[in-house]
Amino acid sequence: MIRDLINKHYNKLSESDLDTLSYVLHHLDECSTMSILELEKACAMSKSSILRMTQKLGFSGYSEFKYSLKAELDLVKNKEIDGLFDIQSNEIEMTRKIFENMQLKPIYEQIYYAGAIYGFATGWGQRNAMEELSRNLISCDKKMFIVPAEREFDVILSRMKKRDLVIIISLSGDLDNLMDSVRQLSVLGIPTLSITSLRNNKLAEFCTYNIYFESTKLGKYYGFEHRSFIGLFSILDMIYRGYLEFSLKKEKEDSDKTAK
């Protein structure tokens, strides 16, 4: 499967490769019939770059890559319900690889020294994840104020300071109604952290720091589209554990300096 190949060759892939592959995974049906020129247009990636990307994954070229997409699409359409657990394992593994390749120390430092932390999330699942992150930060002696809605975000914006940190969780990162506020934060020099699924998005472009997770469509059942958020909860748990480790080490260093 394509996800397995991404995991296997992850260290060879560039950020542009990952953006394109994320698009392919989220539009598997359409991409399985696209020509290389159509994919070039959809992802704003050159033909030669797409060819190199397919070769990094072990394919001889684009035709073999597209054939693999068709085979994977057939597998997805005919999968048994038990296959949902394979998706879960792949999503967690992919998210962990993303986490391990990020520079997280500046983010931990920003959390550690933040005067106030504000959180905003779009959607019910993202809001639950934000509340879990808030609970974990409180246990690390860092309180987060969760902004309930976009209107309140605009009101609180005038009270934010350069020593604060704003964390925004979004699946797509395309927040048209909030982008003016995010741009203002950038202009005012207030640090921001976006946590979004692995893809190019407007939110990440304007934020100081970016963290990505893998999110998978599970299919349509009982009249509803199902989507997994295990990648989001996994990355937040990793951030919590990483920050806890960082803060304990930092406090010990500060204590040793004071003792001297």
Side-chain angles (χ1 to χ4, degrees), residues 148-162:
E150 291 174 6
R151 183 175 180 181
E152 284 78 2
F153 192 96
D154 290 334
V155 173
I156 295 171
L157 178 61
S158 61
R159 304 177 187 174
M160 295 178 182
K161 299 177 175 59
K162 289 185 177 181

Side-chain angles (χ1 to χ4, degrees), residues 111 117 133-142 144 243:
I111 295 173
I117 300 176
L133 176 61
S134 176
R135 184 185 68 81
N136 285 332
L137 288 178
I138 286 173
S139 69
C140 297
D141 200 28
K142 299 297 298 186
M144 176 194 290
Y243 175 73

Side-chain angles (χ1 to χ4, degrees), residues 4 27 52 60 72 87 99 114 164 176 189 227 246-247 250:
D4 296 325
H27 301 84
R52 284 195 296 271
S60 59
E72 181 159 344
I87 292 173
F99 178 82
D164 298 338
D176 291 337
R227 179 178 280 278
F246 170 86
S247 62
K250 183 66 176 171

